[in-house]
Amino acid sequence: MVHPAYAWHQMAQVWRTPGCGEEWMAAFVASEPAEPAKAGSPGEPGWLKSVLPAACPSEADAAELKASINETMGGCILDLYRSATSNIHADWSVMSAHMVWPMRASG
């Protein structure tokens, strides 16, 4: 995340927000997978619960994933997204414009 205008994707913004993330994860864990045609919009808990297993390479992997969607998984996702520091290197592009870069040998 070096670009100065970097912004988290919409779901990450929800997950990173205390209270909102917990509410979303509770709905995700409690939701039933929706049929693809009725799955709702990207970012909705039922939609994600439908598309994740569909992305698995095998039925066995999909079954294992479905069985793993619980409060522990939700808490781990929230912890992971909240542990990442938002765009701590945003000023690098400004600083790098003023740096003198060493010459490289061609070849």
Side-chain angles (χ1 to χ4, degrees):
M1 295 181 274
V2 177
H3 193 278
Y6 177 81
W8 288 94
H9 59 81
Q10 186 176 0
M11 287 175 61
Q13 291 177 29
V14 171
W15 296 340
R16 290 176 54 83
T17 304
C20 293
E22 285 77 9
E23 184 178 314
W24 193 96
M25 283 299 168
F28 174 62
V29 170
S31 69
E32 291 296 322
E35 296 175 32
K38 300 176 185 176
S41 301
E44 292 179 11
W47 173 84
L48 187 59
K49 213 167 195 177
S50 299
V51 298
L52 284 177
C56 290
S58 71
E59 288 296 320
D61 290 331
E64 185 176 349
L65 174 65
K66 289 176 191 176
S68 299
I69 296 174
N70 57 31
E71 292 173 4
T72 300
M73 176 190 270
C76 290
I77 292 168
L78 295 179
D79 288 346
L80 174 66
Y81 274 84
R82 291 173 182 175
S83 71
T85 304
S86 295
N87 210 2
I88 61 171
H89 306 298
D91 60 340
W92 282 19
S93 63
V94 174
M95 292 181 345
S96 67
H98 303 289
M99 294 178 73
V100 177
W101 296 94
M103 296 292 290
R104 292 188 184 186
S106 60

